[in-house]
Amino acid sequence: GACRALQRFLYTNDLPKEEDCGEGLAVGEMAQVADRFQAVALYEHCVQKFREGLKVGNAIERLVKVQDLKLDALQQLAWAFVLYNYHAIQTQAGHTLDTLDQPEFTYLMLQLLKQLPVAHAQ
């Protein structure tokens, strides 16, 4: 999967058109490999594809998936998108927030709550 995509890039310098590189890769998997092998152009391309793939309906899922990758760029993009679009996520895709109710994601939920603007009662 990711090794084949990396090899294709290294030999042809062609950037993949799809985020999964046509290999069925998980979200952020190619970025992780590109980062590990210091393929800077490929890594930056993967970050851009990740950004383009963030939607109200998948942002929480992507946020959860990138936590284990330890790639700051993807984590920051996911957090920024979730925080900026939290109201839309809550109203249009509220069911995705249920993912954060699982014990292994308690830390993520606490981080999210700490970063949301506080509504002041008038």
Side-chain angles (χ1 to χ4, degrees):
C3 289
R4 273 192 306 274
L6 176 64
Q7 188 175 29
R8 266 194 311 271
F9 170 74
L10 293 174
Y11 284 119
T12 66
N13 211 29
D14 287 338
L15 294 169
K17 291 178 181 26
E18 303 89 22
E19 185 177 11
D20 73 353
C21 300
E23 296 282 344
L25 302 176
V27 169
E29 187 178 354
M30 189 69 246
Q32 187 177 38
V33 171
D35 182 55
R36 185 177 306 134
F37 288 96
Q38 299 177 354
V40 177
L42 180 58
Y43 175 77
E44 290 172 355
H45 177 73
C46 291
V47 170
Q48 180 60 33
K49 287 292 187 182
F50 180 81
R51 177 185 291 117
E52 292 169 3
L54 282 167
K55 309 286 183 235
V56 167
N58 70 11
I60 297 297
E61 175 187 354
R62 284 171 165 255
L63 175 63
V64 167
K65 287 184 177 180
V66 300
Q67 293 308 300
D68 293 334
L69 298 178
K70 307 288 188 257
L71 294 174
D72 289 342
L74 299 187
Q75 290 175 335
Q76 289 173 5
L77 284 171
W79 274 114
F81 186 91
V82 167
L83 292 172
Y84 185 79
N85 295 285
Y86 186 75
H87 180 71
I89 292 169
Q90 198 173 32
T91 56
Q92 298 170 28
H95 64 282
T96 64
L97 292 168
D98 295 343
T99 304
L100 300 177
D101 286 340
Q102 299 173 34
E104 63 266 28
F105 301 124
T106 301
Y107 175 76
L108 274 180
M109 180 57 102
L110 290 173
Q111 291 296 84
L112 177 61
L113 291 173
K114 285 196 309 191
Q115 294 182 47
L116 289 173
V118 177
H120 298 286
Q122 293 184 356

